[in-house]
Amino acid sequence: MVPTPARPMNDTNEALASFYAKVDELEKVFIDRLGDAIKIPSISAYADNRKDVFAKQMSEWVATKLKAVGVDVTLKDLGKQEGTDLDLPPLVLGRYGSDPEKPTVLVYSHYDVQPASIEDGWKHEPFVMTVEEDGKICGRGTSDDKGPLIGWINMIEAFQKVNVDVPANLVFCFEGMEETASFGLRQGLEDEADKYFKDVDVVCITDVVWVSDEQISVPQGLRGIIFYLVTITGAKVDAHSGGFGGQISEPMTDMVNIMSSLVDANGKILVPGIYDNVQAVTKEEYESYQKLNISEDSLYGGTGGRSLHDNQADALVARWKKPSLSLHRIENALPGAGAVTSIPAKLVGKFSIRTVPFMKWEDIDQLVRRHIKDRFESLGSKNDLEIECHPNDWFYEEASHWNYQAAIQATRNVWGVDPALTCEGGSIPIALDFKKTLKKNVLLMPVGRPTDGQHSTNEKLDKSNYINAIKLYGAYLKEVTNFWRQSKQNL
Amino acid sequence: MVPTPARPMNDTNEALASFYAKVDELEKVFIDRLGDAIKIPSISAYADNRKDVFAKQMSEWVATKLKAVGVDVTLKDLGKQEGTDLDLPPLVLGRYGSDPEKPTVLVYSHYDVQPASIEDGWKHEPFVMTVEEDGKICGRGTSDDKGPLIGWINMIEAFQKVNVDVPANLVFCFEGMEETASFGLRQGLEDEADKYFKDVDVVCITDVVWVSDEQISVPQGLRGIIFYLVTITGAKVDAHSGGFGGQISEPMTDMVNIMSSLVDANGKILVPGIYDNVQAVTKEEYESYQKLNISEDSLYGGTGGRSLHDNQADALVARWKKPSLSLHRIENALPGAGAVTSIPAKLVGKFSIRTVPFMKWEDIDQLVRRHIKDRFESLGSKNDLEIECHPNDWFYEEASHWNYQAAIQATRNVWGVDPALTCEGGSIPIALDFKKTLKKNVLLMPVGRPTDGQHSTNEKLDKSNYINAIKLYGAYLKEVTNFWRQSKQNL
């Protein structure tokens, strides 16, 4: 088919309406396309899946589909996985459009998936897409993240089929190692920051979900994490507690003492000064949190956890706006499990602090080290202490940025509701990687729902989320271009 | 050979001297006999070794050797190992002599050994006996416990060869599961307490070593152990610390708080009242401990542990005469290791208290439970607490008993020095099993040295210890009979 010149996307909604109608019309094609992708078990965690199925078959599938809608594709080789002889799957880079009158949006998604096996308790074969009567599209990767990825291809196709210009220039960055620590991604970003990604104006990541099944949202903040390893060393080898109990200095005694000095049973961090740079929650934020439509199940994620808070706003403030300190484990640091009644000679205690804007991790680290060292010295112990820290910063974007305003407006257009501006308690390291490397505004635009079972059995994506995501992408690009043009005019 | 009637053992030392001379004369025969036994890899821990090599070959070897010196042997079938389809090796029971004018001594030893393999770093093949130039008899089981076991057979043979009556009646109880929790032994003891062991006057266990290589000793006390499992339960499953940190009650926080309230960095137990029934160390004991000839290496067992005590007597008091509390580990109680940054939902904390005479474990348990519950309640935690306790009592015999006096006198005769009366920090459950089941005085009579490497590589028994043990057994039986007769006359 030789297309007639595409119509530019105007400020009227007529072009968008015809695009929406085409998306609905192509529903079966789009769902079948997702089914094709689900068939490929692109599990990045398994070395056996890496070389053929994954690096070749899945990345080439994505490249082929992108090329079919006219995307200029480059497969960026990321070399070997550090410390192994395993090939890393390539970054699938793509470029669509280079109109200087449009902004350029970098789109990130990933084509690898979590492991899955019918034996784990799936209702259907995980690598065969099954659409249930109520519209649940089931299969590994439907929600995380093949559905959201393929949505971008579908979006281009729908615009083409109604002969409307895709509203913005697109740069794709599709990764194949997201479920396995994103090995190679950071280096790839750094390599291409001034090359392939040079003209990028904003970033859009579609690897997130709504805050709850009932509450459409756009997250603007993520907590950071400072991970600590505290090592306490006593004897050279584990000792028999019969022979040596009471006679030698025991590292576990110091360890539990130090660990118990960090946080109390109400979740209050006991390290002096740690709350000093934590921003107070505004009355508006607190009230908005209270109004969010979040079921108890979504709020507690099915953990059956015992809440420290009496109402939703307090719980969300604790998750999104306050630092927290969790004690994870105390491990024997010498090889081999000693007898159950031994005195462990060397222990590693692991804990982490979730940080929020605008805590500086270097300051927090100083406070934590001083606190632990003071505590240890007060014990008069004969053991040795070491502290190691692995910081990952929090992420925060102001919602007033036009990239966010575009997402909010697009969500309103497609879903008919204002999305809630929320945060996430956990970290998404890639968001910060993009922000730090490209120094552009990074948007996290949700596609699926928190109960999609992304890392669990019976992963699904609701048909409405899959189809509306395609519309959302188109609407978002239209809004992005409008806001970008306005911001240029305002200069 | 039809022997002339054996001479009775008189109070003169002439018969004993001829016995000693015969033991020396038979040295090569006795060492070769030990070599025969070492060849059989009677490893009770390995199911593969159990059925043929072990239950049949080794128990039959022992039975055959016992029969060869005239012992009346019974193999007591102990059935299957609980919860498995594995046959337990039999108890090799033996009876030698039934003279009503003599006391009956029950002798306990075991014919199974620890695992061993040349790959573990042995100088010689572990299941081939090698005698080094300096007289070290090397091989798995030389010291623990085939050497001490065969010594009893050698002793009978030497008496026979000098035509002197073995001074006491003997009942043997040789076990094949000692290195694997003594499965079956306790039931066997209970079965036979009023049957095979009915006429036993005292018990002698030869499965112990001196207090140090330089200090010959007879231990009269062993610490007990009360093992605790403290379970704290929060959520139903492990939670993500990003999503739920600060929002839900975390069991680890409570766990380290409780653990830290039990003992301080100087080893002092913090449970109120726990020292109330601990016997004070007398000036005489303290001074005798200070005089013991114990190298620093023996004292700290090569653990390189950091001592809490400035001198030997304080260290030994801490090991032998004071309770101690060791914190062993904190384990995730839900199956599967969660992510390293997860919030564990259910934890088991394991600790134990080593008890000394005359602490009552029931009282201690009450104190510990009250302390932990009070502490937990003071936290205001939303989690649940459970406490489980597994007590094993301490063991103590007064050295004034004639069984001990016989051992002391015999040691003096054979080694030419007074043995030190010592304790052990650890437990030997079988000692208490014999004491509780048979209600007779139980003697622990050392044969080897602490550096014999009993559960380690390069196990050895010094030739002097092997040969002198045979003499010691004879001298001990002579003394036992003398003291027994005196005690009967005094009635």
Side-chain angles (χ1 to χ4, degrees):
Chain A
M1 178 181 76
V2 180
T4 53
R7 289 176 295 165
M9 171 66 83
N10 296 321
D11 226 8
T12 69
N13 279 324
E14 179 267 329
L16 199 60
S18 66
F19 162 74
Y20 286 176
K22 182 57 73 177
V23 171
D24 288 329
E25 194 188 312
L26 292 172
E27 180 183 294
K28 189 177 178 311
V29 175
F30 295 158
I31 291 175
D32 287 347
R33 183 170 291 155
L34 178 54
D36 266 7
I38 298 304
K39 276 185 208 151
I40 307 174
S42 52
I43 303 165
S44 52
Y46 295 162
D48 285 352
N49 289 48
R50 192 78 64 85
K51 204 166 175 197
D52 296 319
V53 179
F54 172 31
K56 288 232 177 72
Q57 201 172 330
M58 193 66 214
S59 59
E60 283 176 10
W61 187 94
V62 171
T64 304
K65 297 297 166 188
L66 285 169
K67 284 175 191 164
V69 294
V71 176
D72 182 25
V73 176
T74 302
L75 295 182
K76 181 175 170 64
D77 184 4
L78 295 175
K80 301 276 184 195
Q81 185 174 329
E82 205 182 323
T84 74
D85 196 38
L86 285 172
D87 288 323
L88 286 171
L91 278 185
V92 180
L93 302 179
R95 182 172 286 278
Y96 187 80
S98 56
D99 184 343
E101 298 303 309
K102 293 177 186 168
T104 300
V105 177
L106 188 155
V107 168
Y108 167 89
S109 177
H110 63 90
Y111 62 83
D112 64 321
V113 294
Q114 285 276 322
S117 163
I118 187 85
E119 286 81 26
D120 297 340
W122 288 68
K123 284 186 291 181
H124 316 290
E125 276 294 339
F127 294 105
V128 176
M129 186 184 73
T130 307
V131 184
E132 295 186 341
E133 275 185 21
D134 60 359
K136 286 197 181 73
I137 307 173
C138 303
R140 174 56 88 221
T142 47
S143 175
D144 184 17
D145 202 33
K146 288 177 176 175
L149 185 154
I150 293 166
W152 289 102
I153 300 167
N154 299 338
M155 181 269 297
I156 295 173
E157 185 185 5
F159 272 119
Q160 290 172 343
K161 293 244 161 104
V162 292
N163 202 28
V164 171
D165 213 21
V166 173
N169 302 318
L170 292 167
V171 166
F172 293 110
C173 177
F174 293 153
E175 181 194 7
M177 284 296 285
E178 199 273 344
E179 303 295 2
T180 309
S182 287
F183 285 121
L185 177 67
R186 196 172 304 191
Q187 190 58 51
L189 290 186
E190 285 172 12
D191 292 350
E192 301 297 340
D194 294 326
K195 297 176 195 159
Y196 205 91
F197 303 143
K198 195 181 171 198
D199 57 349
V200 165
D201 293 296
V202 287
V203 177
C204 176
I205 294 176
T206 49
D207 184 23
V208 271
V209 294
W210 297 342
V211 67
S212 87
D213 279 16
E214 309 79 20
Q215 179 66 60
I216 299 179
S217 61
V218 173
Q220 62 178 145
L222 305 167
R223 290 202 290 191
I225 178 168
I226 312 179
F227 187 75
Y228 278 94
L229 296 108
V230 174
T231 305
I232 299 178
T233 310
K236 288 175 198 154
V237 295
D238 291 0
H240 188 277
S241 65
F244 297 98
Q247 214 188 333
I248 62 172
S249 183
E250 304 193 12
M252 185 63 103
T253 313
D254 302 341
M255 182 63 81
V256 293
N257 194 299
I258 286 171
M259 295 285 256
S260 72
S261 76
L262 296 170
V263 61
D264 74 13
N266 297 314
K268 191 186 162 203
I269 306 178
L270 303 174
V271 177
I274 205 158
Y275 290 101
D276 285 356
N277 290 313
V278 176
Q279 233 183 3
V281 177
T282 64
K283 192 158 172 282
E284 291 70 34
E285 283 175 318
Y286 189 87
E287 285 172 0
S288 75
Y289 292 175
Q290 194 58 34
K291 284 182 201 145
L292 292 179
N293 188 11
I294 302 183
S295 68
E296 179 121 335
D297 195 49
S298 288
L299 195 60
Y300 294 107
T303 62
R306 307 184 189 203
S307 180
L308 294 170
H309 305 285
D310 292 337
N311 68 54
Q312 174 173 304
D314 287 337
L316 291 176
V317 166
R319 181 192 286 198
W320 294 345
K321 293 291 182 175
K322 298 277 187 198
S324 63
L325 192 155
S326 292
L327 306 172
H328 304 303
R329 48 188 72 194
I330 297 172
E331 291 170 350
N332 202 327
L334 292 181
V340 77
T341 56
S342 67
I343 299 170
K346 188 173 185 176
L347 294 164
V348 180
K350 296 180 176 175
F351 71 91
S352 63
I353 299 173
R354 298 282 172 171
T355 58
V356 292
F358 291 87
M359 297 168 84
K360 289 210 179 83
W361 79 259
E362 296 89 342
D363 297 346
I364 301 301
D365 186 42
Q366 275 202 0
L367 295 173
V368 169
R369 282 174 195 265
R370 190 186 312 148
H371 172 79
I372 292 178
K373 282 177 183 162
D374 286 354
R375 182 82 180 196
F376 185 70
E377 271 163 32
S378 78
L379 298 176
S381 169
K382 292 174 191 290
N383 299 317
D384 292 331
L385 171 76
E386 279 171 274
I387 305 170
E388 192 183 322
C389 146
H390 299 270
N392 271 293
D393 250 333
W394 45 266
F395 169 91
Y396 188 76
E397 295 282 14
E398 293 293 345
S400 55
H401 190 282
W402 50 267
N403 195 26
Y404 274 74
Q405 288 300 314
I408 292 166
Q409 184 60 47
T411 306
R412 198 180 290 144
N413 284 349
V414 172
W415 287 100
V417 294
D418 281 343
L421 283 167
T422 59
C423 296
E424 295 271 340
S427 311
I428 303 180
I430 47 167
L432 206 64
D433 288 343
F434 276 102
K435 190 173 160 77
K436 286 192 169 165
T437 313
L438 305 189
K439 295 176 183 62
K440 301 294 174 185
N441 184 282
V442 174
L443 166 70
L444 299 161
M445 193 159 71
V447 171
R449 307 185 187 205
T451 55
D452 283 351
Q454 292 199 334
H455 287 198
S456 176
T457 53
N458 298 315
E459 182 177 346
K460 59 86 180 165
L461 180 64
D462 290 86
K463 194 198 288 178
S464 59
N465 285 60
Y466 182 52
I467 298 302
N468 275 350
I470 304 167
K471 297 177 184 174
L472 184 70
Y473 295 169
Y476 159 71
L477 294 182
K478 168 173 174 275
E479 298 296 337
V480 155
T481 302
N482 285 349
F483 280 113
W484 176 78
R485 284 178 182 153
Q486 281 169 29
S487 73
K488 290 195 84 166
Q489 281 165 3
N490 293 346
L491 287 179
Chain B
M1 177 181 76
V2 180
T4 52
R7 290 178 293 165
M9 173 66 82
N10 295 323
D11 226 4
T12 69
N13 279 326
E14 179 266 327
L16 199 59
S18 67
F19 162 75
Y20 285 175
K22 183 56 74 181
V23 170
D24 287 328
E25 195 187 311
L26 292 173
E27 180 182 293
K28 191 177 175 312
V29 175
F30 294 159
I31 291 175
D32 289 347
R33 182 170 293 156
L34 179 53
D36 267 6
I38 298 304
K39 276 184 209 153
I40 307 174
S42 51
I43 302 165
S44 51
Y46 296 161
D48 285 352
N49 290 49
R50 191 78 64 85
K51 203 165 176 197
D52 297 319
V53 179
F54 173 31
K56 288 232 174 73
Q57 201 173 329
M58 192 66 215
S59 59
E60 282 176 9
W61 187 95
V62 172
T64 305
K65 297 297 164 188
L66 285 168
K67 285 175 191 164
V69 294
V71 176
D72 183 23
V73 175
T74 303
L75 296 182
K76 180 175 171 64
D77 184 4
L78 295 176
K80 302 275 184 196
Q81 185 175 329
E82 203 182 324
T84 74
D85 195 38
L86 285 171
D87 287 324
L88 286 171
L91 277 185
V92 180
L93 302 179
R95 180 172 289 277
Y96 188 81
S98 56
D99 185 342
E101 298 303 310
K102 294 176 186 168
T104 300
V105 177
L106 187 155
V107 168
Y108 167 89
S109 177
H110 63 90
Y111 61 85
D112 63 322
V113 295
Q114 283 277 319
S117 163
I118 187 85
E119 286 81 26
D120 297 341
W122 287 69
K123 285 186 290 182
H124 316 290
E125 275 293 340
F127 295 105
V128 177
M129 185 184 73
T130 307
V131 184
E132 294 186 340
E133 277 185 18
D134 61 359
K136 285 196 180 72
I137 308 173
C138 303
R140 175 54 89 222
T142 47
S143 176
D144 183 17
D145 201 34
K146 289 177 176 175
L149 185 155
I150 293 166
W152 289 102
I153 299 166
N154 299 339
M155 181 270 296
I156 295 172
E157 184 183 5
F159 272 120
Q160 290 171 343
K161 292 243 162 101
V162 293
N163 203 29
V164 170
D165 213 19
V166 173
N169 301 319
L170 291 167
V171 166
F172 294 109
C173 176
F174 294 152
E175 180 192 9
M177 284 296 285
E178 198 274 342
E179 303 294 2
T180 310
S182 287
F183 286 121
L185 176 66
R186 195 172 306 189
Q187 189 59 51
L189 290 186
E190 285 172 11
D191 291 350
E192 300 298 339
D194 294 326
K195 298 177 195 159
Y196 206 91
F197 304 143
K198 194 180 172 196
D199 56 349
V200 165
D201 293 298
V202 286
V203 177
C204 176
I205 294 176
T206 52
D207 184 22
V208 271
V209 295
W210 298 341
V211 68
S212 86
D213 278 16
E214 309 78 20
Q215 181 66 60
I216 299 178
S217 61
V218 172
Q220 63 179 144
L222 306 167
R223 291 201 288 190
I225 179 169
I226 312 179
F227 188 76
Y228 279 95
L229 297 108
V230 174
T231 304
I232 299 178
T233 310
K236 287 176 198 154
V237 296
D238 291 1
H240 187 277
S241 64
F244 298 99
Q247 214 188 334
I248 61 172
S249 184
E250 304 194 12
M252 185 64 102
T253 313
D254 302 342
M255 182 63 82
V256 293
N257 194 300
I258 286 172
M259 296 284 256
S260 71
S261 76
L262 296 169
V263 59
D264 75 12
N266 297 313
K268 190 186 161 203
I269 307 178
L270 303 174
V271 177
I274 204 159
Y275 291 101
D276 285 356
N277 290 314
V278 177
Q279 233 183 3
V281 177
T282 65
K283 194 159 171 283
E284 291 70 33
E285 283 174 317
Y286 189 86
E287 285 171 0
S288 75
Y289 291 175
Q290 193 58 33
K291 284 184 202 144
L292 291 179
N293 189 11
I294 301 184
S295 68
E296 179 122 336
D297 195 50
S298 287
L299 194 58
Y300 293 106
T303 63
R306 307 183 189 201
S307 180
L308 294 170
H309 306 284
D310 291 336
N311 70 53
Q312 173 173 304
D314 286 337
L316 292 177
V317 166
R319 183 191 286 197
W320 295 345
K321 293 292 184 174
K322 298 275 185 198
S324 63
L325 191 154
S326 293
L327 306 172
H328 304 304
R329 49 187 72 193
I330 298 172
E331 291 170 349
N332 201 326
L334 292 182
V340 77
T341 55
S342 66
I343 299 169
K346 188 173 186 176
L347 294 163
V348 180
K350 296 180 177 176
F351 71 91
S352 63
I353 299 172
R354 297 284 171 171
T355 57
V356 292
F358 292 87
M359 297 168 83
K360 288 210 180 82
W361 78 260
E362 295 90 342
D363 296 346
I364 301 300
D365 186 41
Q366 274 201 358
L367 296 172
V368 168
R369 282 174 194 266
R370 191 187 310 150
H371 172 78
I372 292 179
K373 283 178 183 163
D374 286 354
R375 182 82 178 194
F376 185 70
E377 272 165 30
S378 78
L379 299 176
S381 169
K382 293 174 192 292
N383 298 317
D384 290 332
L385 170 76
E386 279 172 274
I387 305 170
E388 192 182 322
C389 146
H390 298 270
N392 271 292
D393 250 333
W394 45 266
F395 169 91
Y396 189 76
E397 294 282 16
E398 292 294 346
S400 56
H401 190 280
W402 50 267
N403 194 26
Y404 274 75
Q405 288 299 314
I408 293 166
Q409 184 60 48
T411 305
R412 200 181 287 143
N413 284 349
V414 172
W415 287 98
V417 293
D418 281 345
L421 283 168
T422 59
C423 297
E424 296 270 341
S427 311
I428 303 180
I430 47 168
L432 205 64
D433 288 343
F434 276 103
K435 191 171 160 78
K436 286 193 168 166
T437 313
L438 304 188
K439 296 176 183 64
K440 301 293 173 183
N441 185 283
V442 174
L443 166 70
L444 299 162
M445 194 159 69
V447 171
R449 306 184 187 206
T451 56
D452 283 351
Q454 292 198 334
H455 287 197
S456 176
T457 54
N458 297 314
E459 181 176 345
K460 60 88 180 165
L461 180 66
D462 290 87
K463 194 199 288 178
S464 59
N465 285 60
Y466 182 52
I467 298 302
N468 275 350
I470 304 166
K471 297 178 183 173
L472 184 70
Y473 296 169
Y476 159 71
L477 294 183
K478 169 175 174 274
E479 298 296 339
V480 156
T481 303
N482 285 349
F483 280 112
W484 176 78
R485 285 179 183 152
Q486 281 170 30
S487 74
K488 290 196 83 164
Q489 280 165 8
N490 292 343
L491 286 180

